[in-house]
Amino acid sequence: MKSIYISILVFVLLLSNQMSAIAQCAMCRAGIENNVSNGETTIGAGLNMGILYLLSMPYLLALVLGYLWYRNAKKRKGKFLFHGEKY
């Protein structure tokens, strides 16, 4: 029961943090439009690379954790079969 309350608390905190991140979009857009109108296009490209970097990190983290879980489960399964235990 305690883990359910902790999960709900973490979810609410993450949700409230997301709202402040969405508020920054207008500032970024205004800054990029200002720089593009002045002829500087490198800042926009850098912002796009930053967005792609941030987009890839959760997937990379999930991939690494999934691999570690799979490797650990495979070791555990081999260990149980070696000793003659059935699961």
Side-chain angles (χ1 to χ4, degrees):
M1 192 68 170
K2 186 177 180 180
S3 64
I4 293 173
Y5 289 132
I6 292 173
S7 299
I8 291 172
L9 178 64
V10 168
F11 178 73
V12 169
L13 289 175
L14 289 175
L15 189 63
S16 65
N17 190 20
Q18 182 183 11
M19 290 180 193
S20 64
I22 291 172
Q24 302 303 318
C25 283
M27 291 174 53
C28 291
R29 182 176 176 182
I32 295 300
E33 286 177 354
N34 188 23
N35 287 326
V36 169
S37 67
N38 291 335
E40 298 178 32
T41 58
T42 57
I43 295 175
L47 183 64
N48 286 338
M49 286 302 294
I51 290 170
L52 291 175
Y53 172 75
L54 290 173
L55 175 72
S56 66
M57 284 302 115
Y59 294 109
L60 185 62
L61 180 65
L63 182 68
V64 169
L65 289 176
Y67 172 73
L68 292 174
W69 174 77
Y70 173 75
R71 189 180 69 179
N72 191 20
K74 194 173 181 181
K75 281 183 184 179
R76 210 176 318 139
K77 183 178 179 184
K79 181 180 176 182
F80 287 136
L81 291 177
F82 182 71
H83 293 295
E85 298 178 12
K86 295 180 182 178
Y87 278 100

